[in-house]
Amino acid sequence: MADQHSYESILESISGGFFALDTQYRITYWNKAAEAGTGLPASEILGKHVFEVFPNAEGALLGEKYKLAMESRTFQSCETAYKDERFDVWYDVRIYPAETGLSVFFQDITEKKTERRQKEMLVEISRAINGSKHLDELCIKAAEKISLLFEIPSKFVCIYLFDPRGNEIRLVAPALMEVEFPQDAVHQPVTEEASRLAARAAWSKRVILSDRMDEGTIGPLFREEIDALKLKTLIVMPLLVQDEVQGVIEVLTIKEKDFVQGELEVLSVVANDLAGGMSRKRLIDELRTKNIELEAQTQKTVEASETLKKFLATFSHELRSPLNSIIGFSELLTKQLGELPHETVEEFMKNINTSGRHLQQIINDILDLSKIEAGKMELHIASYPVDYFQESIERVLASAIAEKKIHLHFSFDPDIDELVVDQTRFKQILINLVSNAIKFSKGGGNVTVRSERIGNDLQFAVEDHGLGIKREDQAGLFRPFKQVKSGKEMNHEGIGLGLAITKKLVELHGGTIWVESEWGKGTTMVFRIPMVVDATSERTVQAGMLLEALERENKPRAEGEKPLALIIEDAPQASELLRLYIESAGYRVEVAQNGAEAVDMAKRLHPSVITLDLMLPVKDGWQVLKELKRHPLCKHIPVIIVSIADEKNLGFSLGAVDYFVKPVNKEDLIQSLDKVYLVRKSDTRKPTVLVIDDDRAATDLIQVILENEGYRVLKAYQGTDGVEMAAREHPDLIILDLIMPETSGFNVAYQLKQIPATRAIPIIILTSMDIDSETQEQLGAYVSGLMSKSTFTKKDLLREIGNIESARFH
């Protein structure tokens, strides 16, 4: 008995777990270390079959070892894991045959096993980092290794890369070709209000745990497989290097949320190494890109050196010719003005004016090309009537047309009455092409400007019937400083930049340009641009400020009183020239000579329009513009910037309604003043249209069309957002696409008709899908009109809206 007690004392004092089995595999002894290691008390264990207590051992390696030791009466050992929703433990098990059955010793080796797995995984991650050619490949390989660590399919490990330029995370792994991820999961803006956990983890830089699988990227796509694997917790961990986000990782585990500390420790070690690898790979990629750019830049420098030599030779000659005329004729006028007949003086003045304008055009071309090449020319996109461009061409080129007795014809597509372009640059494209056509046409010849719609693009053609261009000259036609030599009609003026600049401007609009010509039969210059020019949302908003400003109301004036213009300009000659221009447009004029005086006069006089120079004493023009737009008495006054500094983007963003680079053309300035003066005076509420469409280009086009017609436009890019906005804003009309992510247009239309607040709002369907008769019948109860996105025009849209308005009032 004493021996039995001594034996048990020894078994109770050892650090490892011990239990005994009889020949029927029933547990006959269970020491305290076994209780502590498994959390199972002896009172609940004794007498039970070992496979009843450890069901996962039956059929596994451990179960086979039990049977082999019992039947062969030989010592057996193995390392085995026990996993469930709470535990993840590794044991070193040693099985000894005994007279009464088996004696089993087991030691918890989880810590040692974890360390070994971490080391192995870090080695694998390092190999993936070093062996990957780019970041996307690194993420995919890392996801595969981490899935082995967590013993889950690799598709259940999501890795995102952070893009600091767009402030978003992009889903890279898993790369499932057969599965289409929602776009709002692939590209997630990193904001405090982000709806998805990955973006929220990137924003907060904290680990997020969730027991709701649908909150992850994979959960909604593989729900049945996740349930079958009994995965219970989603771990979302930001990948950080010195507190800077590199990406985010999402992993699923079978553990319950309160028991994932071990997984978090392992994953954090792996995440640190992965984040470091991402950071290094980014730096290597950036360095490689810089090296490629450096090589390209070196080549450009060599080419630029040759171009510069050619440019200086041409440029010096072209500058001297008009300068000689200006200096020569002005010197004669200065010394002999009283002796010369009036007709001679007038002829000299015309020569000076012509030479000055030619010199100005050369300088403008050089500046335009340098700005485009430097990537600093930005477009200000808005909607303009086609007639405006026709009038501009006829006005600017009137003298050239009259001199050669050219018959200029316009044949514009009647369905396209407005263009969404940069007004100044698009006008420059057309004037350059028409001007060239006139130069190379014979006296009394015809020049035709045509437009037509081709799919979702607009195509313009400028045709002349001159000598044409030889095939060998066509290849270099759009290169800088290249001039066509076509017999007597060669262009002896300019430095060969017109077509080079035109090509760059067309490409800035997202288009292409080419030449169609046959020697002896004439030339047609053709270019094509998208119906909606692709401008960033920021630029679109800034350019849209021009249209919004032109619609603001002016302060009512007494009948017969001229509107007041305030000129802010410190140079007396410049202010006097502006005064002459503006007074000829029917305005009274006041002049402020510095920034402080300007703000005070604007508050006191409340002019109808302000022209502003940016280079001012006391307070510069930018500060003046900011103060004017912040003051309640001045913020609605239209401001036209007239300055040497070409900063249109900044000017529009601060609220300017137009921007001219000195020297300003009189006709252009008066035209801008006319727009300000002829704003609408209606006090009635603008009708509101809600556009629900995930296609941003389509919504931008509709917004430009409708806002120009006096509508207020709201936009929603998802169906659920659109329903909420409709219920909140009560728009007069809804324009709805049928194909959208998450919620289809059919479902949105149905929901809108079920909500009392939105039930009566008419709906126009604008979609790219083919609408068959069955679908039309299905939609009939919910919508008021149908249009195809691929073929609709402004007239179609306004006609549909007009039909709805007519139906309401009749």
Side-chain angles (χ1 to χ4, degrees), residues 662-680:
K662 292 179 180 178
V664 63
N665 179 275
K666 175 182 175 182
E667 289 79 8
D668 291 337
L669 178 60
I670 291 175
Q671 188 173 51
S672 181
L673 292 171
D674 288 343
K675 287 181 181 178
V676 174
Y677 186 65
L678 296 174
V679 294
R680 287 184 289 183

Side-chain angles (χ1 to χ4, degrees), residues 563-608:
L564 174 63
L566 174 60
I567 298 173
I568 306 175
E569 171 63 70
D570 63 315
Q573 298 91 341
S575 63
E576 185 58 29
L577 184 61
L578 286 173
R579 177 196 290 275
L580 293 172
Y581 286 173
I582 294 172
E583 285 181 344
S584 70
Y587 282 76
R588 294 178 293 127
V589 173
E590 294 286 344
V591 179
Q593 295 182 334
N594 63 63
E597 182 184 17
V599 175
D600 179 66
M601 290 178 69
K603 294 175 185 176
R604 179 164 43 85
L605 300 175
H606 199 267
S608 299

Side-chain angles (χ1 to χ4, degrees), residues 140 143-148 152-158 173-174 176:
I140 293 170
E144 292 172 353
K145 303 303 179 185
I146 293 168
S147 70
L148 296 176
I152 58 175
S154 60
K155 64 187 177 185
F156 290 170
V157 178
C158 294
L176 299 177

Side-chain angles (χ1 to χ4, degrees), residues 708-759:
N708 220 25
E709 295 297 319
Y711 291 87
R712 172 175 171 249
V713 177
L714 304 174
K715 296 186 287 188
Y717 300 111
Q718 292 185 6
T720 51
D721 294 341
V723 173
E724 291 175 5
M725 193 176 292
R728 184 176 65 249
E729 299 287 341
H730 305 290
D732 299 286
L733 172 70
I734 294 172
I735 297 177
L736 172 65
D737 187 15
L738 291 181
I739 303 175
M740 289 185 294
E742 296 187 359
T743 305
S744 73
F746 294 95
N747 192 18
V748 172
Y750 174 79
Q751 290 182 48
L752 290 169
K753 292 306 176 183
Q754 304 309 308
I755 301 172
T758 60
R759 186 175 298 152

Side-chain angles (χ1 to χ4, degrees), residues 692-710:
I692 306 174
D693 191 344
D694 64 315
D695 184 346
R696 293 177 183 265
T699 56
D700 288 346
L701 175 59
I702 293 170
Q703 181 179 20
V704 169
I705 291 173
L706 294 184
E707 284 186 347
N708 220 25
E709 295 297 319

